[in-house]
Amino acid sequence: MKLRSLACLALLLAALPAGAQNSYRWITDDRSSTAEKNLRVLCDEIGARVTGTPNLRRAVEWGVNAFRQAGVTQVHTENFTVPNSWVEEAAHGEVTSPERFPVRLTGAAWGTGTPAGGLEAEVIAGGRGDEGQITRLGPAVRGKIVAISSEAVTNFNDMSVEYRRALVATREAERAGAVAVLLTSTQPRGVLYRHIVTLDGRVAGLPAVIVAREDALRMLRLLEGGQHLRMRLTLRNKVGGPVEAQNVVAEVRGREKPEEVVLYGAHLDSWDLGTGCLDNGVNAALAVEVARFFQTAERHPRRTVRFVLFSGEEQGLLGSQAYVARHRDELDRIVAVVVHDIGDGRITGYSLGGRRDIEDAVRESLQPVAYRGATSHTTDAFFGSDHFDFLLEGIPTLVANQDTTDYVPNYHAPSDTFDKVDLEEWRADTMVAATLLYGLAERPERPGKRLTRAEIEQQMRETRLDDQLKFLGVWEQWTRGERGRRQ
């Protein structure tokens, strides 16, 4: 496998213009042992990295030290505030009538806990979480535990639908006076995972849990058969007040236009059931390796390449939102933002955030690794990752589209661990990312301009991003000028 990779890299090098070959020669170095060691430390020794916990602080130290050991001298951290800290301490469920049986479950992140002694209430079916389903049940919801059904999820698009339904169900159940929400796991064989039910780092107004698919379907079948179910639920969540978190920032200065920046972002935080290796440790470690390559290259790229390991992503993109707010006066100097956030699957192309005008620059930058198949670019625009607030500022954004075959079944689950990483594919992704970043930083012209507010609004309409903002509660922030470009 190593020989095959080196052969491909040799072809890449040969395909480059003669004047650029020395700049790319670092790509053929075998640094995989360093990369793998860094990733092992992050996943196995530090482990889960929930924002606001000691483990995330250890991960921040890991990021600073890893960049410095890679030879990068310009490394620092930037603080921001998360509205609340949250840790699950215990979660137990049991159907108490008409028959008694245990229910495997875990708390949805940033949901509130039950009273100290737990709660017991009747369970009713609340549909799939489509808008209006719980609201139409009217007074029947008050004082009840609402069970939400789901289809099995096998791809990333279906996962987005699941998130939307969970948010809708939690909002409507709270407004209707429910005492708790049960969300059916979309993965079989008892797999549980951590999803969030708020998007601004604040705690929801009622307990929400994800229930093992087999147990939830059993309960729903009993309800469909006319049985009256009662359930006892105990959910102990440790919720604290505002807490400080940090982003890690490192950069390799450009040789000709150091004031212009190509930014690579990956989130460092993770949920707590697994060790956050696919989501998103692999791409945090990838940043360190690419920075190492650039720092030791014979010729640095023309522009500065900045690497940011964001915290607070899982709580609603809090770290990247804080970064954009902090650096608002210098956003004109950021020529592009590249984000990797979907594990180690093969990169099939990049989502361009609705920007067809940057596609040629992206294709040209990726030409040396075109044989890898990273050529199917899309022009969708979405919330979902740390590119979002840069997109609202009119900056060209690129998010890696990747094969999610292994990513989805392990998403936020206990199985998201180091052994799931395909090291060979990860090294190839590192090469693709490095080539793209170098190409964007090296080209004479910017890949695209920074859009005006009017142009961003047009982009929103064309991609239906405006509908997403309205659903997520961000539209008011946009219209008031609190988030996104102001002119």
Side-chain angles (χ1 to χ4, degrees):
M1 297 293 281
K2 178 180 175 183
L3 290 175
R4 184 177 68 186
S5 293
L6 291 177
C8 291
L9 290 167
L11 289 173
L12 181 158
L13 190 62
L16 291 169
Q21 287 183 11
N22 287 338
S23 301
Y24 280 86
R25 193 166 297 282
W26 49 264
I27 299 178
T28 61
D29 291 344
D30 180 16
R31 301 180 183 275
S32 59
S33 59
T34 302
E36 183 176 334
K37 179 181 178 181
N38 274 337
L39 187 58
R40 283 182 182 271
V41 171
L42 184 61
C43 297
D44 289 344
E45 296 183 23
I46 298 175
R49 306 173 296 281
V50 178
T51 301
T53 64
N55 265 20
L56 183 61
R57 291 192 285 274
R58 290 179 63 201
V60 167
E61 294 174 1
W62 167 91
V64 172
N65 292 334
F67 278 121
R68 287 177 176 163
Q69 290 169 9
V72 182
T73 57
Q74 299 191 53
V75 187
H76 67 277
T77 60
E78 296 181 357
N79 288 7
F80 65 96
T81 301
V82 177
N84 295 100
S85 64
W86 184 96
V87 176
E88 180 184 271
E89 295 183 324
H92 302 286
E94 181 185 35
V95 169
T96 56
S97 69
E99 303 292 337
R100 188 178 294 270
F101 59 87
V103 177
R104 295 163 293 173
L105 51 81
T106 193
W110 262 249
T112 192
T114 61
L119 63 84
E120 185 168 337
E122 182 181 350
V123 181
I124 64 171
R128 300 183 307 175
D130 291 325
E131 202 155 353
Q133 281 189 314
I134 294 175
T135 300
R136 285 192 291 271
L137 294 175
V141 176
R142 182 165 297 277
K144 306 297 196 308
I145 297 172
V146 182
I148 304 300
S149 64
S150 71
E151 296 88 14
V153 162
T154 58
N155 60 64
F156 202 70
N157 289 335
D158 289 347
M159 193 185 298
S160 299
V161 174
E162 176 191 2
Y163 259 114
R164 181 182 178 91
R165 287 173 173 169
L167 290 166
V168 168
T170 304
R171 289 175 185 174
E172 293 193 2
E174 182 179 350
R175 287 198 296 263
V179 296
V181 174
L182 310 181
L183 304 169
T184 299
S185 170
T186 59
Q187 297 297 324
R189 300 177 180 86
V191 172
L192 296 171
Y193 44 80
R194 190 80 74 207
H195 276 358
I196 197 164
V197 289
T198 68
L199 291 171
D200 58 3
R202 302 184 187 279
V203 177
L206 80 172
V209 297
I210 295 169
V211 180
R213 185 166 188 81
E214 292 76 10
D215 293 345
L217 294 179
R218 178 182 179 183
M219 294 171 67
L220 290 167
R221 286 194 299 269
L222 289 170
L223 290 172
E224 290 170 3
Q227 299 277 9
H228 291 278
L229 266 64
R230 290 187 65 81
M231 180 181 183
R232 184 164 189 81
L233 177 65
T234 303
L235 187 62
R236 291 204 306 272
N237 296 332
K238 184 178 180 181
V239 178
V243 61
E244 289 296 302
Q246 296 81 35
N247 296 325
V248 179
V249 183
E251 67 178 35
V252 177
R253 296 283 286 174
R255 71 177 190 277
E256 290 181 10
K257 297 183 176 182
E259 73 284 355
E260 294 187 4
V261 175
V262 174
L263 188 148
Y264 171 89
H267 70 87
L268 185 59
D269 62 308
S270 78
W271 288 123
D272 54 328
L273 296 181
T275 63
C277 216
L278 294 178
D279 187 21
N280 189 37
V282 289
N283 291 312
L286 181 152
V288 175
E289 286 310 296
V290 176
R292 183 196 309 278
F293 297 157
F294 287 1
Q295 187 66 39
T296 57
E298 293 180 22
R299 186 174 68 167
H300 285 192
R302 182 174 276 119
R303 297 180 180 83
T304 293
V305 181
R306 183 174 298 161
F307 302 87
V308 186
L309 305 184
F310 295 110
S311 298
E313 191 271 352
E314 298 290 6
Q315 289 73 46
L317 318 181
L318 302 183
S320 50
Q321 181 183 356
Y323 180 92
V324 168
R326 181 186 183 120
H327 294 270
R328 184 174 298 281
D329 292 342
E330 59 187 76
L331 294 180
D332 280 337
R333 299 196 288 107
I334 300 179
V335 304
V337 173
V338 178
V339 169
H340 281 214
D341 189 16
I342 316 180
D344 66 346
R346 177 182 287 262
I347 298 172
T348 59
Y350 283 83
S351 168
L352 307 182
R355 298 289 299 269
R356 295 184 184 277
D357 60 305
I358 69 172
E359 187 168 2
D360 287 345
V362 174
R363 290 192 184 280
E364 291 170 8
S365 298
L366 284 168
Q367 185 56 41
V369 290
Y371 69 91
R372 285 291 308 170
T375 56
S376 299
H377 308 302
T378 60
T379 54
D380 51 332
F382 56 89
F383 173 74
S385 197
D386 284 315
H387 69 294
F388 177 69
D389 278 275
F390 296 97
L391 187 155
L392 291 187
E393 293 287 348
I395 297 169
T397 62
L398 298 84
V399 182
N401 292 326
Q402 296 177 257
D403 180 355
T404 59
T405 302
D406 295 325
Y407 180 80
V408 169
N410 300 299
Y411 183 67
H412 293 179
S415 55
D416 184 3
T417 49
F418 181 85
D419 55 288
K420 306 306 185 304
V421 176
D422 182 334
L423 292 172
E424 186 72 12
E425 200 65 61
W426 178 43
R427 292 173 190 132
D429 287 351
T430 302
M431 180 178 64
V432 171
T435 304
L436 173 63
L437 290 168
Y438 194 98
L440 293 173
E442 180 66 11
R443 58 185 290 111
E445 305 297 332
R446 291 176 173 232
K449 69 173 187 175
R450 185 181 178 193
L451 301 182
T452 65
R453 183 177 176 90
E455 289 169 332
I456 297 167
E457 289 187 337
Q458 177 63 29
Q459 174 193 26
M460 287 181 180
R461 290 190 291 271
E462 291 174 353
T463 60
R464 301 190 67 179
L465 182 62
D466 53 350
D467 291 340
Q468 294 181 48
L469 267 60
K470 291 169 185 175
F471 169 75
L472 296 166
V474 179
W475 184 251
E476 290 77 12
Q477 296 174 345
W478 166 262
T479 57
R480 291 194 299 262
E482 298 169 358
R483 198 166 181 180
R485 187 154 196 184
R486 295 168 181 165
Q487 75 279 347

